Amino acid sequence: MADQMQPSLYDLPQSPPNWDPVGKFYISFCASWTFLLLLGVVFLVINRKNPILKIRGIGLSLTAILFLHVYWILAQITYPIGLTLPVILAYDIQYFFMGIWFPLGVALFHASNTRFLHVAKLQKQYTQSPNLPRKKGCNGADTSWLCRLRNLDYSMRILIYIGLGIIVQILLTVGMWVMCLKYHPTFGIPGTELPGGTIAQQMIELSRGWEWWPSALWQVIWTWIIAPVMIWKAWGIRDTLGWRFQTIGCCLSNLHATPLWLISMYVPAFEPVNQYFAPSEWIHLSVMMFEIFTVFVPCWLVVRHHRLRKRAADSNAKWGSTSQATLRASGSLEWKSASVLEKGLTIDFLDKELGERLFTMSALDHVLNENPGPLQKFSALRDFSGENIAFLTSVAYWKTSFPEGANEDQIRDAFTRALVIYTSFISPRDAEFPINLASKDLKHLEDIFEKPARIVCGEARVDPATPFASDGSHGSGSEADSSHDWIELGEVAGRIQYVGDISDAFDAAVFDRAQAHIKYLVLTNTWPKFVSEIQQQRRSGETERSGGTGNSSSSLGSRISKLMHSVL
């Protein structure tokens, strides 16, 4: 009889909203932060074609952030209006959000972070060869599903893996909820019901138990296994896009979440804190850090990049016509002490007479013509835009080797080599990193090269809209189409020659518009960073040589400064 008189959580009436000062703070803070976040997201979407954002593929990261932010909003309104819902319903919502929604958001978020390592790895190939070797794949519709999966874009493959993992998580979460009596007293496994006790004790037990283990396990895997591995792999990458800083910052900001969530639930000393700061808020604190690093930091980088581009454009407009003679006069000055990055350059980047002339098209042309190697290495390893410099050098070499008054055989040879440039750097279907061209220029080049590229290379990629479709049909029936491997045109261009029809629009100037466009992009994006990097290295080297006899405190300050620079 005594047991029957104990208060039951299932009979607890709903409460009115809690509009005390803490409740008002949660609502106002939630609304303000959400408004600022949406402004940042809109700003990034508007500027999505900026090189800093385009290389990141912000669609996946912003989707993850919005997923996580919905759960963050739910946590902020729990204190003021959580008790207006039936208690069991409120905990059901929390359970499914923590078990399904949150793991999906974190998985998408870390998947977007792994793109940083993927891009950095692929860009290294531009330091070894002007042409990026395309990954091997399968050709034709009758290949295996595993081969078709390998052919998919990196982001699409990651989404498929995440989809499979979240299906497992959904099955676990729903299955455990069905088995657990405390969420629905009418069915479930005996022994899983709520224990007797006060209402407060029952509410504590409702947020504990073995049904929460899969969610905790996923959090441990992401935050304490995958995140440290990503930090270790990203630590040696020094990019100019702030991407490494963003990735490491996100990984570090999530390390505290799971331990403090578990401690706050199971350690009695945290009970006074839990009344105002729920255990899940430790997780949502890391979500806010995700949003800072993923939305607000890139916004600041875009603004800074815009200022850098404006400086380069203004300098080129002001000094472009007079800088070439100055560069020739200073071209004989070579550094007696040069770093690996500087080695081979013939412009004195610390020459005060050059000044803003270093940011002109003439200075860029000088380096591209004399020795583009250091710029190529910088663009690939630091700016993740190695395809631009590789394209410019490849086109320049192709144009110098284009014969005047060529016969048909020479024209076909020139067309074959132009086809290599198209498939390596321009074609969205073949190039790993297609250069950023205006749609009109891209359409012009596709009209000339796309059909020959398909004849020579075959149907290289699976249609991303229907990656596993199989219609049993093949292309033109050529030798390329009968193979199950993609043909890497750059590897065989010296041994084959295109023998099909050549467009009348093909001539030595076919790449001129694309070349001019990409060169201006390099001038206003990569080149200012390259010049600033060289100048900083030179000044740092001179400072170290002149300050070698300084006191220990200055040496310590110098080391701390270098450490902060390497991290940021």
Side-chain angles (χ1 to χ4, degrees):
M1 185 69 180
D3 291 340
Q4 295 178 355
M5 297 300 297
Q6 286 184 351
S8 172
L9 193 64
Y10 305 103
D11 302 326
L12 190 68
Q14 298 170 226
S15 303
N18 187 1
W19 296 122
D20 64 2
V22 177
K24 293 178 180 178
F25 168 78
Y26 272 117
I27 291 296
S28 59
F29 177 71
C30 177
S32 302
W33 185 261
T34 301
F35 177 73
L36 293 175
L37 181 69
L38 292 178
L39 283 181
V41 170
V42 171
F43 179 82
L44 294 182
V45 172
I46 293 174
N47 293 274
R48 62 189 179 277
K49 294 185 178 180
N50 185 286
I52 290 178
L53 302 180
K54 187 175 182 179
I55 192 68
R56 279 171 162 84
I58 62 170
L60 185 59
S61 60
L62 292 184
T63 301
I65 284 297
L66 294 178
F67 256 83
L68 294 174
H69 191 72
V70 169
Y71 187 32
W72 182 87
I73 292 176
L74 184 67
Q76 308 316 305
I77 64 176
T78 296
Y79 180 87
I81 65 174
L83 292 180
T84 61
L85 298 174
V87 175
I88 298 300
L89 176 60
Y91 275 90
D92 282 342
I93 294 174
Q94 180 183 0
Y95 172 77
F96 282 106
F97 263 86
M98 180 72 79
I100 298 176
W101 192 272
F102 180 68
L104 176 59
V106 172
L108 290 173
F109 183 75
H110 281 292
S112 68
N113 285 338
T114 61
R115 180 178 171 85
F116 168 63
L117 302 177
H118 176 70
V119 170
K121 179 181 178 181
L122 291 183
Q123 283 284 332
K124 287 181 180 179
Q125 300 176 70
Y126 284 119
T127 64
Q128 303 167 1
S129 171
N131 295 325
L132 178 65
R134 185 156 43 84
K135 61 185 179 181
K136 297 297 182 182
C138 310
N139 186 21
D142 56 349
T143 52
S144 68
W145 67 268
L146 185 61
C147 200
R148 289 176 171 272
L149 178 64
R150 189 178 64 178
N151 285 354
L152 292 177
D153 177 72
Y154 175 78
S155 298
M156 182 63 70
R157 293 203 313 271
I158 289 294
L159 288 177
I160 290 176
Y161 299 148
I162 290 175
L164 295 175
I166 205 65
I167 289 174
V168 175
Q169 179 69 8
I170 290 174
L171 293 177
L172 285 174
T173 302
V174 174
M176 290 184 172
W177 181 85
V178 170
M179 291 186 292
C180 199
L181 271 170
K182 63 183 179 182
Y183 295 109
H184 36 72
T186 57
F187 61 93
I189 298 178
T192 60
E193 63 275 357
L194 278 175
T198 64
I199 293 294
Q201 291 173 339
Q202 293 180 36
M203 292 184 68
I204 292 174
E205 291 300 323
L206 198 59
S207 61
R208 298 177 180 177
W210 51 271
E211 71 274 9
W212 296 90
W213 292 353
S215 178
L217 178 62
W218 274 110
Q219 293 180 53
V220 170
I221 291 174
W222 285 115
T223 60
W224 284 95
I225 298 178
I226 295 179
V229 170
M230 290 180 61
I231 293 174
W232 177 71
K233 289 184 176 181
W235 193 258
I237 302 173
R238 300 288 188 268
D239 69 295
T240 63
L241 307 176
W243 205 355
R244 168 183 176 268
F245 172 68
Q246 172 187 330
T247 302
I248 293 178
C250 291
C251 292
L252 290 176
S253 63
N254 198 32
L255 293 177
H256 74 280
T258 304
L260 284 175
W261 172 57
L262 295 174
I263 291 172
S264 62
M265 284 199 304
Y266 290 97
V267 176
F270 268 80
E271 290 181 4
V273 177
N274 294 342
Q275 295 179 9
Y276 302 99
F277 196 79
S280 64
E281 289 285 3
W282 296 105
I283 295 175
H284 300 298
L285 185 62
S286 66
V287 171
M288 289 186 62
M289 297 304 296
F290 288 169
E291 294 168 349
I292 290 173
F293 284 113
T294 307
V295 176
F296 298 117
V297 168
C299 287
W300 171 71
L301 291 171
V302 169
V303 173
R304 189 182 69 170
H305 180 256
H306 176 72
R307 292 200 301 264
L308 191 64
R309 292 183 62 179
K310 187 176 184 301
R311 177 189 179 188
D314 292 345
S315 298
N316 184 60
K318 182 178 180 180
W319 301 104
S321 60
T322 61
S323 59
Q324 188 62 44
T326 307
L327 288 170
R328 291 196 191 100
S330 62
S332 60
L333 297 176
E334 295 200 22
W335 299 320
K336 295 180 180 179
S337 175
S339 68
V340 175
L341 185 62
E342 303 169 73
K343 199 170 294 181
L345 295 173
T346 57
I347 299 178
D348 189 348
F349 284 83
L350 291 182
D351 189 347
K352 295 182 179 180
E353 295 183 1
L354 294 178
E356 293 295 316
R357 292 178 177 87
L358 289 173
F359 297 93
T360 62
M361 186 67 76
S362 298
L364 174 60
D365 284 333
H366 186 83
V367 169
L368 288 174
N369 294 331
E370 293 294 329
N371 183 17
L375 179 59
Q376 173 72 73
K377 185 174 182 180
F378 175 87
S379 65
L381 300 183
R382 303 290 305 276
D383 204 46
F384 297 159
S385 59
E387 69 278 3
N388 290 334
I389 307 301
F391 170 75
L392 292 176
T393 54
S394 297
V395 169
Y397 177 77
W398 177 81
K399 291 174 72 174
T400 58
S401 62
F402 197 97
E404 296 183 5
N407 57 35
E408 182 180 353
D409 187 66
Q410 291 174 323
I411 290 177
R412 291 193 178 278
D413 181 65
F415 185 84
T416 303
R417 288 184 286 111
L419 205 55
V420 174
I421 295 175
Y422 174 79
T423 57
S424 298
F425 302 110
I426 299 174
S427 172
R429 191 171 189 172
D430 298 287
E432 194 76 53
F433 293 96
I435 58 176
N436 187 14
L437 294 179
S439 57
K440 181 179 179 181
D441 294 338
L442 178 60
K443 179 66 167 57
H444 171 69
L445 293 174
E446 284 180 335
D447 291 341
I448 298 173
F449 293 109
E450 183 60 27
K451 184 177 179 180
R454 300 284 64 82
I455 293 175
V456 175
C457 301
E459 298 297 327
R461 290 185 184 272
V462 181
D463 182 359
T466 56
F468 299 103
S470 176
D471 57 9
S473 62
H474 296 275
S476 62
S478 65
E479 181 181 351
D481 288 331
S482 64
S483 172
H484 290 290
D485 293 328
W486 284 338
I487 291 182
E488 180 54 57
L489 186 55
E491 298 176 358
V492 298
R495 304 191 300 270
I496 67 172
Q497 186 181 82
Y498 176 70
V499 295
D501 296 332
I502 297 177
S503 172
D504 294 335
F506 174 75
D507 55 19
V510 68
F511 292 119
D512 280 2
R513 284 191 298 181
Q515 185 183 24
H517 178 72
I518 295 301
K519 188 177 291 186
Y520 188 77
L521 285 181
V522 172
L523 174 70
T524 55
N525 290 280
T526 306
W527 179 247
K529 302 173 190 176
F530 178 71
V531 172
S532 300
E533 178 79 9
I534 294 294
Q535 291 176 336
Q536 184 177 6
Q537 287 189 5
R538 287 290 293 152
R539 292 193 185 99
S540 177
E542 290 186 356
T543 302
E544 289 181 0
R545 289 193 294 271
S546 62
T549 58
N551 55 38
S552 59
S553 61
S554 64
S555 299
L556 177 61
S558 176
R559 289 196 294 269
I560 294 175
S561 177
K562 286 183 178 180
L563 177 61
M564 292 301 295
H565 181 266
S566 67
V567 172
L568 298 178

